[in-house]
Amino acid sequence: METVTKNTVNGFKSEEIVGTINAIQDNPEIAKFEFRVRNKWITGGHNQAMVKDFYGGCQEDTSREKEWVFDNGEPPILLGNNEGANPVEYLLSALSGCMTTTMVLHAAARGIEIDSIDSKFDGMIDVQGFLGLNDQVRNGYQQIMITFDIKGDLTEEQKQELIGFAYNSPVFDVVTNGTNVKVGLAS
Amino acid sequence: METVTKNTVNGFKSEEIVGTINAIQDNPEIAKFEFRVRNKWITGGHNQAMVKDFYGGCQEDTSREKEWVFDNGEPPILLGNNEGANPVEYLLSALSGCMTTTMVLHAAARGIEIDSIDSKFDGMIDVQGFLGLNDQVRNGYQQIMITFDIKGDLTEEQKQELIGFAYNSPVFDVVTNGTNVKVGLAS
């Protein structure tokens, strides 16, 4: 009979999860984050998004020594040269990462161990909308279809519960419900 | 007096823009795309999103020789080790790339030349929602604030018109309006 509480579940340290939750419950201000991306247009459908600093836990983060640069590009059929993945692919990447992390973290907080997660995210889009060729066609994804392949000592019902955890994902919330966006020109 | 029609505007070849538009108007089926991401969980808040193949123009694309791999990670304050940008930062990257490309392409189609575009995207989020600590707090971004710094031989009114072009962005549509998402388990 196992009586030892495991220190690490799904790669998360249990004491760190508890510590974070307790800290936020003591002071909800530390839960407020501002994430930031800077973008520079290169030419045509090629631009670079840069990620480094953010605010959270009541302070500017200093944990990152270098910035990440993500090249947005387009394939030839969409008038580019494959300078990088295209923006709607980055959107699916964000959604996949966020749902996976959210699932694993909520499982860890409940002591549910997972062996592996592989997933696929397929997005259907009609570029007539984006190109302004048909008012009846929306600009964005018409549908996103997601399949999770979860392995572990888990019943089908438990796997469905894990998918339920993934619905807490911030990117899933934005992608399914939308959010408020303000756009302006630099003064 | 300039009478020569420019072949390239903002890095896009004018004849390629016209060719794409004519081809889609002849056969709208070629405007239907399916973009795909595969994701593999590594451990904790670290997972990898992989991008390569897609369907579009009535065929499987074969233009990409290798796949891109994007590491999703979390900073220490969110229980990770900065294994990569975090998913909500990838979301802002996608939004920045898509609005920039859309702006530049629609400008090119109208013959409007732009010298440079730099932009910043700031997203406000309260992680109490994501962590399930407060039902009154939404999981995703509460607000995204965007500032475009556009340079060129352009009036303030023309720059506002360029921002209007960016509203055709597919990622902007999804982020502001949400979309339909279906989630299932692999059989």
Side-chain angles (χ1 to χ4, degrees), chain A residues 17-31:
Chain A
I17 296 176
V18 173
T20 298
I21 290 171
N22 287 346
I24 291 172
Q25 286 177 328
D26 280 353
N27 178 15
E29 280 297 308
I30 68 171

Side-chain angles (χ1 to χ4, degrees), chain A residues 10 31 33 35 37 39 44 64 89 96 106 119 121 123 125 127 130 140-141 144 146 148 173 175 179 182 184 186, chain B residues 10 31 33 35 37 39 44 64 89 96 106 119 121 123 125 127 130 138 140-141 144 146 148 173 175 179 182 184 186:
Chain A
N10 301 334
F33 281 69
F35 290 104
V37 165
N39 187 294
R64 294 168 169 175
E89 292 171 321
S96 74
H106 278 256
S119 56
F121 288 66
I125 194 165
V127 300
F130 155 61
Y141 280 124
I144 297 172
I146 304 169
F148 280 105
D173 176 18
V175 166
T179 194
K182 281 192 184 174
Chain B
N10 302 332
F33 282 69
F35 290 104
V37 165
N39 187 293
R64 294 167 170 177
E89 292 172 320
S96 74
H106 277 256
S119 56
F121 288 66
I125 194 166
V127 299
F130 156 61
R138 74 173 293 177
Y141 280 124
I144 296 171
I146 303 167
F148 280 104
D173 176 16
V175 166
T179 193
K182 283 191 182 174

Side-chain angles (χ1 to χ4, degrees), chain A residues 30-154:
Chain A
I30 68 171
K32 292 180 182 170
F33 281 69
E34 180 181 285
F35 290 104
R36 302 160 186 153
V37 165
R38 301 293 174 266
N39 187 294
K40 185 170 191 59
W41 173 49
I42 309 297
T43 186
H46 183 203
N47 62 72
Q48 293 183 316
M50 289 150 282
V51 175
K52 188 181 180 193
D53 56 289
F54 68 87
Y55 176 92
C58 298
Q59 60 190 344
E60 284 293 314
D61 180 74
T62 56
S63 70
R64 294 168 169 175
E65 288 176 12
K66 65 178 184 69
E67 73 178 4
W68 290 287
V69 178
F70 302 114
D71 283 275
N72 284 284
E74 296 291 347
I77 192 174
L78 291 171
L79 307 171
N81 300 296
N82 282 323
E83 302 89 346
N86 89 351
V88 292
E89 292 171 321
Y90 276 106
L91 178 68
L92 295 182
S93 294
L95 183 60
S96 74
C98 201
M99 291 183 78
T100 300
T101 295
T102 306
M103 182 188 294
V104 172
L105 176 60
H106 278 256
R110 289 161 180 80
I112 302 168
E113 291 192 277
I114 303 168
D115 290 343
S116 70
I117 307 171
D118 292 273
S119 56
K120 55 179 190 167
F121 288 66
D122 300 334
M124 321 303 285
I125 194 165
D126 185 328
V127 300
Q128 288 183 91
F130 155 61
L131 293 170
L133 300 179
N134 187 338
D135 285 348
Q136 304 302 306
V137 174
R138 73 173 292 178
N139 301 332
Y141 280 124
Q142 296 170 325
Q143 171 134 47
I144 297 172
M145 289 169 303
I146 304 169
T147 307
F148 280 105
D149 186 1
I150 306 169
K151 299 240 189 310
D153 185 15
L154 300 159

Side-chain angles (χ1 to χ4, degrees), chain B residues 12-176:
Chain B
F12 289 105
K13 290 182 181 147
S14 303
E15 64 182 23
E16 289 188 2
I17 296 176
V18 172
T20 298
I21 290 170
N22 288 345
I24 291 172
Q25 285 175 331
D26 281 352
N27 178 15
E29 281 298 307
I30 68 172
K32 292 180 182 170
F33 282 69
E34 180 182 286
F35 290 104
R36 304 160 185 152
V37 165
R38 302 294 173 265
N39 187 293
K40 185 172 191 56
W41 173 50
I42 309 298
T43 186
H46 182 202
N47 61 72
Q48 293 182 318
M50 289 150 283
V51 175
K52 187 182 181 194
D53 55 289
F54 68 87
Y55 176 91
C58 298
Q59 60 188 346
E60 284 292 314
D61 180 74
T62 57
S63 70
R64 294 167 170 177
E65 289 177 11
K66 64 177 185 70
E67 72 178 6
W68 291 287
V69 178
F70 302 114
D71 282 275
N72 283 284
E74 294 292 346
I77 192 173
L78 291 172
L79 307 171
N81 301 296
N82 281 324
E83 302 90 346
N86 88 353
V88 292
E89 292 172 320
Y90 276 106
L91 177 69
L92 294 183
S93 294
L95 183 60
S96 74
C98 202
M99 291 183 78
T100 300
T101 296
T102 306
M103 182 187 296
V104 172
L105 177 60
H106 277 256
R110 289 161 180 79
I112 302 168
E113 291 194 275
I114 302 169
D115 290 343
S116 71
I117 307 172
D118 292 273
S119 56
K120 55 179 190 168
F121 288 66
D122 300 334
M124 321 302 285
I125 194 166
D126 185 327
V127 299
Q128 290 182 90
F130 156 61
L131 293 169
L133 301 179
N134 188 337
D135 285 348
Q136 304 303 306
V137 174
R138 74 173 293 177
N139 301 332
Y141 280 124
Q142 297 170 325
Q143 171 134 46
I144 296 171
M145 290 170 301
I146 303 167
T147 307
F148 280 104
D149 186 1
I150 306 167
K151 300 241 188 312
D153 184 15
L154 301 159
T155 65
E156 195 74 4
E157 194 180 359
Q158 287 173 314
K159 290 180 184 179
Q160 290 291 354
E161 189 186 14
L162 290 173
I163 286 182
F165 296 159
Y167 293 153
N168 291 295
S169 150
V171 177
F172 182 80
D173 176 16
V174 171
V175 166
T176 53

